Amino acid sequence: MNAKVFTAINDQINSEFQSSYTYLAMAGFCDRQKFYGASKWLRLQSEEERQHGLKLFDFVLARDGVVELKAIAQPSANFESLAAVFEQALAHEQAVTGQINGLYELCFAEKAFAEMTELHWFLTEQVEEEKTAREIVAKFRMVKGDAAAILDMDRELGSRTTAR
Ligand SMILES: [Fe+2]
Ligand SMILES: [Fe+2]
């Protein structure tokens, strides 16, 4: 693997752990607001992002590369509402899709074929991540400020059981 590709994948590892931290901060906010269902959903999402980071971590090592764990920035922990948390989650996932696309483009240009294959998994994953976030956001937009409906949403989010 060439140095440019290694550096870019290390940046993506950082981004995945950053995502994990971001979702954990969101979970903390929801917990404080007593939205325990949303908090559970976000904790599982945080765990999922950690797994994404580890997947690339293991990949770099398998390619005999050096993993560089860079600093993670402090995520924001204040949101206007429960709905705003998920609006931000969707925007976040859209930004991550852009990163993965950029990384794939670099690997393509550098003829890093094994890395392109590894990134196929992430391209597919981003389709799922955006779809899931978009569905949640659509429901929040539908119910607007209806407290009973928001509590229903929180309960529904709490039915998530896996970090996938
Ligand atoms: Fe991810
Ligand atoms: Fe996922």
Side-chain angles (χ1 to χ4, degrees), residues 16 49 52 126:
E16 299 294 342
E49 297 302 340
H52 294 171
Q126 282 312 117

Side-chain angles (χ1 to χ4, degrees), residues 137-156:
V137 164
K139 287 181 189 173
F140 274 117
R141 287 179 187 172
M142 209 182 299
V143 306
K144 299 216 170 69
D146 185 311
I150 290 169
L151 287 172
D152 261 355
M153 285 281 306
D154 182 56
R155 198 172 306 122
E156 189 186 327

Side-chain angles (χ1 to χ4, degrees), residues 13-160:
I13 290 173
N14 178 262
S15 168
E16 299 294 342
F17 286 116
Q18 182 73 58
S19 291
S20 178
Y21 221 41
T22 297
Y23 282 118
L24 191 60
M26 289 173 171
F29 168 83
C30 290
D31 223 279
R32 281 177 50 75
Q33 307 293 316
K34 315 304 173 216
F35 289 126
Y36 297 120
S39 175
K40 183 183 173 196
W41 193 98
L42 290 159
R43 283 165 195 253
L44 285 168
Q45 188 61 29
S46 173
E47 174 55 29
E48 177 175 339
E49 297 302 340
R50 189 177 160 276
Q51 286 171 16
H52 294 171
L54 284 175
K55 186 166 166 52
L56 288 174
F57 179 92
D58 286 335
F59 177 76
V60 170
L61 293 172
R63 298 288 284 151
D64 203 26
V66 177
V67 175
E68 200 188 334
L69 292 177
K70 298 171 188 181
I72 298 172
Q74 181 176 2
S76 66
N78 275 307
F79 305 88
E80 260 177 40
S81 62
L82 182 60
V85 169
F86 286 91
E87 291 278 355
Q88 197 159 312
L90 175 59
H92 179 76
E93 288 305 330
Q94 288 166 335
V96 171
T97 299
Q99 290 170 0
I100 300 287
N101 287 346
L103 186 53
Y104 191 81
E105 193 178 0
L106 173 74
C107 292
F108 179 81
E110 298 292 326
K111 297 184 168 56
F113 301 118
E115 288 64 34
M116 286 167 72
T117 301
E118 176 70 12
L119 287 174
H120 282 165
W121 186 92
F122 284 87
L123 289 169
T124 305
E125 174 61 19
Q126 282 312 117
V127 172
E128 184 243 302
E129 297 287 42
E130 279 193 41
K131 177 176 181 284
T132 305
R134 202 177 298 117
E135 284 168 4
I136 296 169
V137 164
K139 287 181 189 173
F140 274 117
R141 287 179 187 172
M142 209 182 299
V143 306
K144 299 216 170 69
D146 185 311
I150 290 169
L151 287 172
D152 261 355
M153 285 281 306
D154 182 56
R155 198 172 306 122
E156 189 186 327
L157 287 166
S159 67
R160 179 175 180 174

